[in-house]
Amino acid sequence: MNVAIKRPFMGLTMMEPLRFVSEAMTTTLTWPLLAAAPRGDGHTVMVLPGFATSDAMTVLLRWYLASLGYDVHGWELGWNMDQHAAGENGEHVARRIADLAALSGKKVSLVGWSLGGVIAREAARRDHGSLRQVIALGSPFTGDPSATSLSTAYEWMTGNSIGSDDTRARYAEGHLPLPVPSSAIFSRTDGITAWQNCVSETDARTETIEVHASHFGMVSNPAVLWAVADRLAQIEGEWAPFARKGPFAALFP
């Protein structure tokens, strides 16, 4: 039940910056291992940033995916202030997806961190014709919208009410599988949002992947980067669940 979902402990929240730096340093040290990750067909990937951040926050993730041969793009919509950046009906993101699909002539994969993953999943529900798959990283797309350490900041900066009917409706259907293959990567030690808000129902092409990571580390943690690379490397139309193996297997509970 939603009432049982609580926001992360303050200690975890306060440790987020330090953990992010530590995970980024670990990624740097393990770069040779990350370079050996599965490689796909080089299709187009759009990476969406988290709440109150911009494409600058996803540079390391995008750089890594580009090094594996993917045609990687940021969302290029400035700071992610939810509907103010994505459009009241997600039209700005939809236009961006359509432009990238037209440019490549192929379907686009979306990788969204935090609020970016919520927006990516909503884009897939509205119109998935140009989408290949969606990967959400620590994204609170279901559960209890108040179970986050940033609820006050979110309301103040976006003008949205956590307790509004629109917000509750948004979360109410968030757990349902998407019309395209999807992966939801989450951490039980997330210091920003309750991990229960980041998992969905699963089916033949929908999965959840647990990892040891911080919330900010979802864009810098080597195990997360490996999992994203593994998911993107799948042959289109031949999706299979993530196998917890490889050099970072210990970081996947």
Side-chain angles (χ1 to χ4, degrees):
M1 297 293 291
N2 289 352
V3 292
I5 301 177
K6 299 180 179 179
R7 66 181 62 189
F9 292 115
M10 183 58 66
L12 285 175
T13 303
M14 294 178 66
M15 288 291 293
E16 280 286 331
L18 180 61
R19 294 174 68 193
F20 166 73
V21 172
S22 175
E23 286 161 299
M25 291 178 63
T26 302
T27 290
T28 300
L29 294 173
T30 58
W31 197 263
L33 296 176
L34 284 167
R39 293 173 182 256
D41 57 9
H43 68 277
T44 300
V45 179
M46 185 171 86
V47 180
L48 292 76
F51 165 63
T53 68
S54 66
D55 287 330
M57 189 65 179
T58 64
V59 167
L60 180 59
L61 172 58
R62 287 186 286 117
W63 184 30
Y64 172 60
L65 296 179
S67 75
L68 296 179
Y70 294 99
D71 176 29
V72 185
H73 299 263
W75 83 333
E76 297 184 4
L77 293 173
W79 295 84
N80 188 349
M81 296 299 174
D82 210 349
Q83 80 280 6
H84 301 298
E88 290 295 334
N89 297 297
E91 62 270 18
H92 300 328
V93 167
R95 189 178 304 115
R96 180 79 175 126
I97 294 170
D99 288 345
L100 292 176
L103 186 64
S104 66
K106 299 179 180 179
K107 292 184 177 182
V108 178
S109 286
L110 301 182
V111 179
W113 167 50
S114 194
L115 178 58
V118 177
I119 294 172
R121 289 176 61 90
E122 291 174 345
R125 292 194 194 283
R126 283 190 297 269
D127 183 7
H128 64 276
S130 297
L131 295 181
R132 178 164 167 165
Q133 69 172 307
V134 174
I135 304 172
L137 312 177
S139 299
F141 51 78
T142 189
D144 185 348
S146 66
T148 171
S149 59
L150 296 180
S151 57
T152 301
Y154 174 80
E155 291 187 326
W156 178 68
M157 297 176 76
T158 66
N160 297 334
S161 172
I162 291 294
S164 70
D165 291 340
D166 288 343
T167 299
R168 296 289 175 178
R170 182 186 200 181
Y171 273 61
E173 67 174 13
H175 67 287
L176 299 174
L178 300 179
V180 296
S182 67
S183 304
I185 300 177
F186 73 98
S187 170
R188 292 175 189 267
T189 59
D190 191 312
I192 299 299
T193 187
W195 67 267
Q196 296 96 329
N197 285 356
C198 305
V199 296
S200 69
E201 292 181 2
T202 58
D203 60 17
R205 58 181 183 179
T206 305
E207 66 181 346
T208 58
I209 302 173
E210 184 177 357
V211 65
H212 290 302
S214 66
H215 186 80
F216 294 154
M218 288 289 175
V219 290
S220 69
N221 183 292
V224 175
L225 267 59
W226 177 278
V228 172
D230 180 89
R231 301 293 75 203
L232 293 175
Q234 298 180 100
I235 298 174
E236 187 173 6
E238 298 184 15
W239 189 89
F242 178 68
R244 291 161 175 78
K245 60 183 180 180
F248 303 101
L251 294 179
F252 299 103

